[in-house]
Structures are given as C-alpha cells and as structure tokens.
Amino acid sequence: MSIIKTNDVKKWFGDFQALKGISMEVQEGEVLVICGPSGSGKSTFIRCINRLEQHQEGEIIVDGIELTNDLKNIEAIRSEVGMVFQSFNLFPHLTVLQNVTLAPIWVRKKSRSESEEKAMELLTRVGIPEQASKFPGQLSGGQQQRVAIARALAMEPKIMLFDEPTSALDPEMIKEVLDAMKELALSGMTMIVVTHEMGFAKEVADRVMLFDEGLMVEENTPTEFFDNPQNDRTKLFLSQIL
Amino acid sequence: MNLEFKKSIAWMRENLFSSIPSSILTVATSFFVLGFFRGLFGFAMASDKDWLSVLNNMQLYMVQAYPEEDFIRVWISVGLALVFAGMSIGLWKSTEESSLSEVFSKFLRVSLAFLFFTVVAPTFSSVTDNDGIIQTEESFPMETRLQLLIPSAILVVVFFVLKNLKLNYKFNKSDLLCFYLAIPIVLMWIIKLPTIQLDSSNQRIFPDPLMPIADTTKTPWTIIFGLFLAFYFIGSRFKDSKNIKRTMSISWVLLPLFIFSWIFKKPEIDLPTILGQDIPIFIGIFLIGALTITFINNPVVEKYFSIYLGVLIAITGIALFISIPILLKSALLLLVLFTIVIPAVSSSTKGKRNLIIVWGVSLFTLSVLIRGGSSDTQIIVQQQSIFGGFSLTWLLAIFGTYVSFPLGVLLALGRNSKLPIVRLVCTGIIELTRSVPYITWLFFASVTMAVFLPEGVNFELVVRVLMVTAFFSGAYFAENIRGGLQSIPKGQYEAADAIGMSPFQKTSLIVMPQALRAIIPTLVSSAITAFKDSSLVTIIGLIDFLTIGKVIIGTQSIPVNFVGHDRENLLFIAFFYWIFTFTLSRRSMKVEKRLGLGER
C-alpha cells in the first residue's frame, strides 16, 4: 500500500518553476533516496510533502489525507511526518531533553513523565543519552543532528523526511548520523532521504531517484541505478560525484 | 610582597603607560576624574549647602501629601514588598559562596573610598552669600582632614591585612546579602544625625543638634527587616518546591496591583454593593467557566463550542459599551480569554480540576482588585491625587512597564501578523504613537482625552497619564520586540511547523522566548527610560519625585527657610535615580548571563 502518493506536482517560485510535475509513490516501510545536483528541486519536493512549501498544481496524498489549504489536514499530516533538516534547527533555548519532549507534551498532550521516559529511550537509541541536560549549543554537529532525529521520532511519525542531513557536518561526524539513520531504516520506518551520500544509498535504499531541473529523470533500484544507469544525465551525475 | 609590587608595576606599564599617547591619555583622564571628585566634594561640603533640606523632607519626597494618620498603609506596602523580596531571595537562594577574604575586600573598597575622599576633598570651596557674591571659604580645614585621615588609613590597613590573610571560611552569597542589609539597620540605632530643632520663638537652633534617628523611622524599618529575615529563612526551607516558586512569581505580578488598589488607596467599601452585586457576578461567571471546563469533551458541547464562543465574544463586545458594573465587563472579558484556551489545556480529569482552580483564583483576584480599584478612596488630600513624590514615580514606572510590555508584545506580533487588517491597525498604532513627542501625549491626557471618552466616563489624571504612557512605551517595546523577532532564523519556524505545533504554541514556546532573550538589554534600557521619563509628568501638574526637590522644597520658608536650596536637592535626586537605574542594569546583566548559558 502506498503511504505517499504524488501526482504531477508543480511549484513555482515567482517565475522560476522549481517542480515541473513530479509523480511518484512510496510504499510503507520503503527507504527512498533522492539525489541530484543543487537547484534540481529535490529539497523543495520533500518540503512540499509536509507543507513547509506549498505546491501550486497537482496533488499530494499522505497516508490517505490530501494536502490542501485546510489547516486540519496540514496539522494531521505534520504529526504523521517527521523531518530532519540540513541545519538541525534545534531550539537553542531548550535543553536536549526539552527539545525532544516539547512536541509530545504540547502537540500530543502526553504527560511529562511519560514523554521524558520516551525521550530518554530515543536518545539512547541515537546514542547520546548522557547529553540530555545540555543545551544544543554545547553539542557537536553530529550530536545535534542525532538530537534532531530523536526530536522528530518523539512524535512517533509514520514517515521520516531527511533534507540533506549530513551536508552541514564535518566528515568524521557524518558516520554517526548515517549509523543512526541506518538503524532507523532497518527498523522498518518509511524514509525519504535527500542526500549526496552514495554509500548510504547503495547500502540502505530500496529505491534511488535522480532529480534534475525540477523533473525526476531516473528512478531505479540502487544496484541498477549505480551499475547500469539508463539516463545520460544520471551517468553524468554519477561520474561527477563518485 | 616584593614580587607583588613588581607585578603591579608591570601591570601598570602594560595597561596604563604602554606608549606615549596612552600615557598622556591616562594622565589626562586621571586629572579629569580627580577634578570631578574635588568639585563634587567641594560642592557638597560648602557651608551654604543645607543638607538638612534633603534629610528633613524625606517624608515629602516619598509620599508627598499622604496623611500622617494613614502612614501605616505606606509601611505595610513597603513591608509587603520586602517580605516578598526576602521570601524570593530564600526560595531562589544562591548556591554561590564567597570566602571571608572576599568580604574583607569589599570592606577594603569602602574604606579606600573613604580614604580617597579625605585625601582628595578640597580645603577651600566657593560659597555664594545672600547677596549673590561668590567667595572662597575654608570648608575642610587641615585639622579635620588629619582627624579623618588617620582612622581611615587605619581601616584601610586593617582590612588590607585581613584580606591578605586569605581566610577561607565560606559564606553563602544570599546569607551575606542579609548581613549587608543588617548593617544600615543597626547603624540606624547607633548614629546620631543633625536634626532641625526650633526654639521657643520658632527659630531654628544653630548649629543643628545631633539627635538619634526618630523612632517613627527606625522602628518600622527594624520590624520590616525582622520580617524580611524571617521570610528569608522560610523561603530557604522551601527552596525545592516548584509550586511555591510558581505561586511566588505570580504573587510578584499581583503585588503592585494589590498595594495600589487596596493598601495605599484605602478604598471605601460598602457592604450592600459587595453582597448584592460583586458576589452574584463572581458566582455566576465562575459557574459558566467551570461548567464549560467540565463538559468540554462532551460531543454535543464540542460540536457547538465555536458557536458558543462566538456568542460569548459578541455578548462581551456589547457589554463593553453599555453601562453595567465594571466588574461584570472585566469578568466577561476574562471568561472569553479563558474559554479560548480551554480546549487546548483541559484534556485529562486532573488537568480540568487544576484549570477550574486556576479559573476560580484568577476570577476572585480580579474581583478583589476591581472592587478596590473602582471604589472611592478614603484618603483625602488637598491635591488631586493621593500619589505624589516617589510613590507617584514608582506607580508610573511599574504600571507603565507593566501594561506596556504585554501591549508591546501584542503589537509586535500584530505587526508581523498575516492578517492584513490586524497588521494595518497595529502598524498604525505604533507609528502614530511614536511619531508624537511624549510631552504631547501628556497634554493629550490632561486636556484632550476627556473629549474622546464617552459621556459620564471620567478617569483620574494619574490614570489617564498611565493610559498614554502604556501606549507610548508599548509602541517602543513593540519595535524592540519586532527587532528580536526578526533575529529568529527561519529554520526555527520550520522546525516548529514540522513537529506539528499550532501557531500559538510556535509563538509562545519557540519564537517569543528566543526573541525576548535576544533583546533583554534593549528591554531594560526601555524600562529605565520609562522610569526616568516619568518625571516629565510635572508639566501637567502632577508632583513627582523630581518636582518635590526642584519646586516644592525650594519654596519652603516656614518654619525653616529652604529657599534657594534646590541644588543640593537636585544632587540628591540624581543620586537617588542613579541607585535605582544602576541596580536595575546590573541585575539585568546577571539575568542575561544566566540565560545566555545555552547559547552558542
């Protein structure tokens, strides 16, 4: 059963058309990696899925709910979809634990003790339970990104979106974040990952897509995508990146 | 010792005389500072200055025309504030400690200042005599200087030695604060001050005899300090209780309201109105709110909730414009605000029970304050207002900040709102208020405002001034806060959106805390400005702290002649303002430091 379905999604920023009609489906439990050169619309596309950007044409259906201007639908979808950003976007005035418990307490209306227990569980899962009482500013980039993953997971989402989660990290910190993501993928989470980490794509992804100039130019299994690319654009991209 | 000496020489060479230009600058600024203090001390000590014109008028400075038989109310107000302060210092007891040598170094600094004074003070100062001719007189003879020099030098040496013994007893910083506060209280019972005494023919006796401080001053202060200490200890017992801390914070917000509407004002209460009007209104409105909270999860109620809310808002809107008791209007307004947040807060049974308690307490507080505030006062003064002197300055400063800060937050949010009409109105209010000088607004309050008010509605001048002040500083607060809002990166909004927060939660939990923290220095300087600007009310005939010193005392001639003594009063006023603003800015620096903890 497809949990995300998009049909001919188009989006303009002023005169510039960022998305020129994207149609795709994601199955439950699937890990989808989207790659492509910068400006190809891949970030814009996943930001449309939880309405951080508004698409102008086409339809996006997440878990049976269509994204429209209806605030109720948007809130419902946002609580189903977790997101991890390139620049972490942790709340600097709250401790790590407060960052993770904020949404369960205020959005899900769970009790504080229950949320904190769950938060510690999640922080253990991403490997940083000992940092719970620190502020984000006191953590390294890799640790911050893992807190961001825990924060998104605290809402118990069905889908996780990753918008270039490792691009702002020092090379030696990338691995710890990717490990946390791999562990998440193995646990059966539906994931859409925008990334340039081809190693991650090869190892974990069920499907890989290439975006270019607002269009999806290739969609394939990782083995096919890397070993036997069909499109000339894919070949060019892979030759530059590998 | 020798090493230390070498070190300080090295320090001086590095920091004061590192190059020829910096040596010149050091010497020049030192001369400037010395000259400033010489001038100041000379001014203060000249024989034509009558400092008793300040000391003798303390009562006037603080409360102006407030009748003496009701002074107990003033003392209760001060006492309450200090009891609260004691409790809070205990509750938020510092965990830091100072060693004994740090304490001695504080005393060393004080005695050094004293030594500095005795060395620097000029022997001669200029005096203006009755005919306006300036003469030079010897105001600080050498013998006096030597008499003072020896004890102060001894004090400096003693404290210097004590400090360098490096005694390592540790004291809690909050305990130390209480100890420091005890010093003036004890001194009050020991020292004697020159006092104005009149002889049988009502002439002032010269020189002024030294008398102990009046009992009517030192007894209340001692009692208040005793209570302060008692509540300090009570507070430190409960320092782990979050509930008491929360109650304390709310009490601080209510304290000025309570003081000004009940204690200071002495409202005229008539029982029939309370029984026949206040209590029924309280019970009725309370029941409506409580029932809504109880049945909010009932499917039928849930279905018609938005209609109910709409009707409630409409009724309140109409009620504001018809003539019904002001308590009913305010209670309805509170009910609307409360009803809006009910669905968001009350989900569990426990949450509902807590919410009903909060609702009851806040409605009760509102009723009490409105009854006190809207009743006539029993305090009769010849002037129009029972507030004068420092009590007026305080009133304007506290309530000005109090009302204008939330107003500023609302205006800033409104100006950033997506709704065009809200944005337009808020921008309009901000720009209109800021584009007109404060003094113009004061004249508007005193002269023109009555025209704009509906017939029969008339506020006291002080209240009208408070209203324009609230808008005026609110507009400035709003612009400061808007600056803070713009400093929040877009990613914070997106992250809050992505975890499904509602716009209200996003603003109150993510955006506002960060925005306010970013602008604490600007906010404090706005508050200080509001405090100082309150002295402008003098031009519309209100008598504030400054006016007393500048205008009133300078005209006192019977039985003691203080005509022409406004200069020393102005110096005193400047010093008094300085103490408050300096303390405030120091505190804000500490708060800033503490909140900056988690910052990058």
Side-chain angles (χ1 to χ4, degrees):
Chain A
M1 182 201 135
S2 63
I3 194 161
I4 301 176
K5 187 165 188 270
T6 73
N7 193 6
D8 204 20
V9 171
K10 290 178 183 167
K11 158 104 191 139
W12 285 265
F13 289 110
D15 289 338
F16 173 71
Q17 187 168 9
L19 298 178
K20 296 175 179 165
I22 308 279
S23 303
M24 50 101 78
E25 280 186 29
V26 181
Q27 306 301 318
E28 202 162 351
E30 194 178 17
V31 176
L32 170 67
V33 167
I34 302 178
C35 51
S38 59
S40 60
K42 54 196 192 306
S43 281
T44 309
F45 177 67
I46 72 164
R47 286 159 62 86
C48 280
I49 292 174
N50 68 348
R51 225 352 131 90
L52 291 180
E53 303 285 355
Q54 192 175 347
H55 62 282
Q56 281 123 344
E57 271 180 35
E59 54 177 11
I60 300 178
I61 299 168
V62 181
D63 200 20
I65 309 168
E66 192 184 347
L67 258 183
T68 55
N69 277 330
D70 190 346
L71 272 177
K72 272 219 170 111
N73 285 0
I74 295 175
E75 275 176 22
I77 286 175
R78 279 179 181 165
S79 59
E80 303 274 302
V81 180
M83 181 146 186
V84 175
F85 298 87
Q86 180 179 354
S87 52
F88 328 137
N89 293 346
L90 293 178
F91 305 128
H93 61 301
L94 302 175
T95 62
V96 166
L97 188 66
Q98 286 169 329
N99 262 285
V100 181
T101 54
L102 193 71
I105 291 177
W106 291 93
V107 181
R108 288 264 193 249
K109 314 257 186 249
K110 285 190 181 160
S111 77
R112 185 172 295 270
S113 54
E114 190 189 341
S115 316
E116 279 177 1
E117 206 175 299
K118 171 89 184 159
M120 285 313 294
E121 212 173 277
L122 287 170
L123 287 175
T124 317
R125 195 167 155 195
V126 296
I128 40 173
E130 71 284 356
Q131 313 284 3
S133 57
K134 286 195 185 164
F135 285 93
Q138 295 163 310
L139 303 186
S140 74
Q143 290 170 328
Q144 290 197 42
Q145 194 59 295
R146 286 186 282 162
V147 174
I149 293 173
R151 177 177 70 180
L153 288 177
M155 283 292 283
E156 297 171 346
K158 290 186 181 163
I159 304 158
M160 285 283 283
L161 307 176
F162 292 83
D163 186 3
E164 306 201 23
T166 54
S167 302
L169 295 176
D170 291 340
E172 63 268 35
M173 291 170 186
I174 291 177
K175 188 175 173 295
E176 58 189 54
V177 173
L178 288 182
D179 284 345
M181 288 166 63
K182 272 178 209 163
E183 190 268 335
L184 192 61
L186 293 178
S187 75
M189 174 71 73
T190 313
M191 290 163 68
I192 302 184
V193 185
V194 171
T195 186
H196 294 129
E197 293 298 324
M198 290 305 127
F200 176 81
K202 271 183 193 164
E203 196 178 332
V204 185
D206 296 315
R207 241 185 327 150
V208 182
M209 285 182 182
L210 182 80
F211 272 43
D212 188 43
E213 295 184 344
L215 284 168
M216 191 207 322
V217 291
E218 176 144 3
E219 174 188 2
N220 227 324
T221 58
T223 11
E224 283 292 296
F225 184 88
F226 289 107
D227 299 342
N228 186 17
Q230 301 298 309
N231 195 300
D232 288 344
R233 187 68 190 84
T234 317
K235 287 173 193 159
L236 180 66
F237 178 76
L238 287 176
S239 72
Q240 281 167 343
I241 204 164
L242 290 177
Chain B
M1 201 68 186
N2 202 12
L3 189 75
E4 199 125 299
F5 184 67
K6 266 185 188 159
K7 251 194 211 163
S8 51
I9 293 282
W11 180 88
M12 273 162 70
R13 185 165 296 157
E14 253 170 55
N15 292 288
L16 298 176
F17 305 104
S18 58
S19 66
I20 293 173
S22 57
S23 309
I24 294 174
L25 271 179
T26 303
V27 172
T29 41
S30 313
F31 264 109
F32 174 76
V33 171
L34 275 180
F36 171 77
F37 279 106
R38 274 175 79 85
L40 189 69
F41 294 149
F43 174 86
M45 288 189 311
S47 65
D48 62 343
K49 306 293 181 307
D50 189 352
W51 286 99
L52 284 185
S53 66
V54 175
L55 208 56
N56 199 49
N57 280 309
M58 265 314 156
Q59 181 180 322
L60 197 64
Y61 266 125
M62 292 303 142
V63 291
Q64 205 223 346
Y66 203 79
E68 257 181 71
E69 62 270 20
D70 277 312
F71 264 12
I72 183 73
R73 296 180 167 273
V74 180
W75 286 117
I76 290 175
S77 310
V78 176
L80 262 181
L82 283 180
V83 160
F84 272 47
M87 183 93 177
S88 307
I89 295 172
L91 279 175
W92 283 275
K93 194 168 177 171
S94 169
T95 48
E96 287 170 58
E97 289 188 327
S98 309
S99 66
L100 201 55
S101 72
E102 278 172 295
V103 176
F104 283 130
S105 96
K106 269 198 182 121
F107 284 113
L108 178 65
R109 256 180 267 165
V110 174
S111 38
L112 269 176
F114 194 62
L115 185 68
F116 177 75
F117 164 77
T118 46
V119 173
V120 164
T123 315
F124 297 96
S125 47
S126 54
V127 171
T128 318
D129 67 9
N130 289 340
D131 305 324
I133 299 164
I134 298 172
Q135 289 171 335
T136 310
E137 56 141 42
E138 194 179 29
S139 55
F140 193 41
M142 265 309 164
E143 304 91 76
T144 332
R145 191 194 298 271
L146 277 179
Q147 278 166 14
L148 287 174
L149 205 56
I150 293 163
S152 53
I154 291 174
L155 273 180
V156 168
V157 172
V158 167
F159 284 125
F160 183 75
V161 171
L162 282 174
K163 183 195 153 202
N164 283 332
L165 284 179
K166 304 254 184 273
L167 296 167
N168 227 1
Y169 300 107
K170 297 276 188 192
F171 295 103
N172 183 289
K173 279 207 167 162
S174 304
D175 289 341
L176 267 181
L177 178 69
C178 295
F179 170 69
Y180 292 138
L181 289 177
I183 295 175
I185 302 288
V186 173
L187 278 181
M188 224 182 244
W189 289 90
I190 298 172
I191 55 165
K192 291 180 174 173
L193 290 175
T195 315
I196 291 176
Q197 292 287 313
L198 303 175
D199 62 15
S200 49
S201 56
N202 244 5
Q203 292 294 309
R204 183 172 165 187
I205 299 171
F206 277 107
D208 301 297
L210 289 175
M211 305 269 280
I213 294 171
D215 281 339
T216 46
T217 308
K218 60 188 179 191
T219 320
W221 276 118
T222 313
I223 295 172
I224 288 174
F225 181 70
L227 287 172
F228 172 87
L229 277 188
F231 275 86
Y232 169 68
F233 286 117
I234 293 175
S236 48
R237 286 257 166 280
F238 291 102
K239 67 173 177 233
D240 296 323
S241 160
K242 268 193 178 153
N243 280 333
I244 294 185
K245 280 185 179 175
R246 213 170 289 158
T247 318
M248 196 68 220
S249 313
I250 298 170
S251 311
W252 269 114
V253 177
L254 293 175
L255 178 73
L257 290 167
F258 182 65
I259 285 181
F260 285 123
S261 74
W262 277 83
I263 303 183
F264 209 80
K265 190 174 173 191
K266 196 180 184 185
E268 201 161 37
I269 303 299
D270 76 297
L271 214 52
T273 326
I274 292 186
L275 291 177
Q277 199 185 68
D278 294 1
I279 292 180
I281 291 176
F282 171 74
I283 293 174
I285 302 282
F286 174 72
L287 281 182
I288 297 177
L291 286 176
T292 320
I293 296 169
T294 318
F295 294 110
I296 185 71
N297 290 341
N298 183 313
V300 182
V301 177
E302 217 160 321
K303 194 173 162 198
Y304 293 106
F305 181 75
S306 49
I307 299 175
Y308 163 68
L309 187 59
V311 171
L312 205 59
I313 291 175
I315 293 177
T316 312
I318 296 166
L320 289 181
F321 291 99
I322 55 176
S323 90
I324 49 169
I326 187 151
L327 175 60
L328 189 54
K329 293 183 190 183
S330 330
L332 275 172
L333 203 60
L334 192 67
L335 179 65
V336 167
L337 293 179
F338 227 82
T339 315
I340 292 173
V341 299
I342 287 173
V345 185
S346 69
S347 49
S348 60
T349 330
K350 198 179 156 214
K352 277 181 184 171
R353 208 193 53 213
N354 286 343
L355 196 64
I356 291 183
I357 295 174
V358 171
W359 164 237
V361 171
S362 40
L363 187 64
F364 179 76
T365 315
L366 179 82
S367 316
V368 169
L369 291 176
I370 295 250
R371 175 44 59 217
S374 67
S375 300
D376 284 332
T377 172
Q378 285 179 30
I379 307 255
I380 313 289
V381 291
Q382 294 100 321
Q383 277 80 11
Q384 58 212 347
S385 168
I386 58 168
F387 299 106
F390 194 59
S391 71
L392 177 67
T393 301
W394 235 175
L395 176 83
L396 293 173
I398 290 182
F399 280 87
T401 318
Y402 223 78
V403 186
S404 59
F405 182 67
L407 190 70
V409 172
L410 289 181
L411 284 174
L413 289 176
R415 196 172 184 170
N416 275 4
S417 160
K418 281 187 188 135
L419 306 169
I421 296 180
V422 174
R423 194 173 55 225
L424 206 68
V425 168
C426 289
T427 312
I429 292 178
I430 292 173
E431 293 306 332
L432 186 73
T433 327
R434 291 200 317 157
S435 57
V436 175
Y438 183 50
I439 294 182
T440 317
W441 281 117
L442 289 178
F443 280 123
F444 173 78
S446 79
V447 186
T448 344
M449 198 194 263
V451 182
F452 291 89
L453 292 173
E455 220 169 305
V457 179
N458 196 15
F459 296 112
E460 241 183 273
L461 180 59
V462 177
V463 180
R464 298 202 300 258
V465 168
L466 275 177
M467 282 157 77
V468 297
T469 310
F471 269 95
F472 190 76
S473 43
Y476 278 92
F477 272 132
E479 286 301 276
N480 287 338
I481 293 167
R482 197 166 67 98
L485 287 177
Q486 271 160 358
S487 73
I488 308 294
K490 203 172 149 232
Q492 293 288 314
Y493 292 89
E494 286 179 353
D497 278 337
I499 54 175
M501 300 184 102
S502 70
F504 178 73
Q505 289 168 340
K506 193 165 58 175
T507 308
S508 58
L509 296 171
I510 306 297
V511 179
M512 262 303 155
Q514 294 188 55
L516 292 182
R517 194 175 67 172
I519 55 163
I520 291 174
T522 359
L523 287 184
V524 172
S525 78
S526 291
I528 289 176
T529 312
F531 175 60
K532 292 182 299 181
D533 279 359
S534 67
S535 61
L536 286 171
V537 296
T538 178
I539 55 161
I540 52 165
L542 289 176
I543 297 164
D544 78 312
F545 190 65
L546 175 66
T547 320
I548 296 211
K550 176 69 190 140
V551 181
I552 312 266
I553 292 176
T555 60
Q556 285 176 338
S557 56
I558 302 168
V560 190
N561 188 1
F562 287 143
V563 175
H565 286 297
D566 48 359
R567 282 186 300 168
E568 47 269 48
N569 279 291
L570 283 177
L571 188 62
F572 162 73
I573 288 166
F575 184 66
F576 203 84
Y577 272 114
W578 176 77
I579 288 178
F580 276 91
T581 47
F582 184 68
T583 322
L584 195 58
S585 63
R586 268 307 159 96
R587 291 307 311 175
S588 86
M589 270 162 73
K590 278 198 178 155
V591 171
E592 221 175 292
K593 238 187 188 168
R594 214 178 57 212
L595 290 180
L597 190 73
E599 241 159 4
R600 225 173 240 275

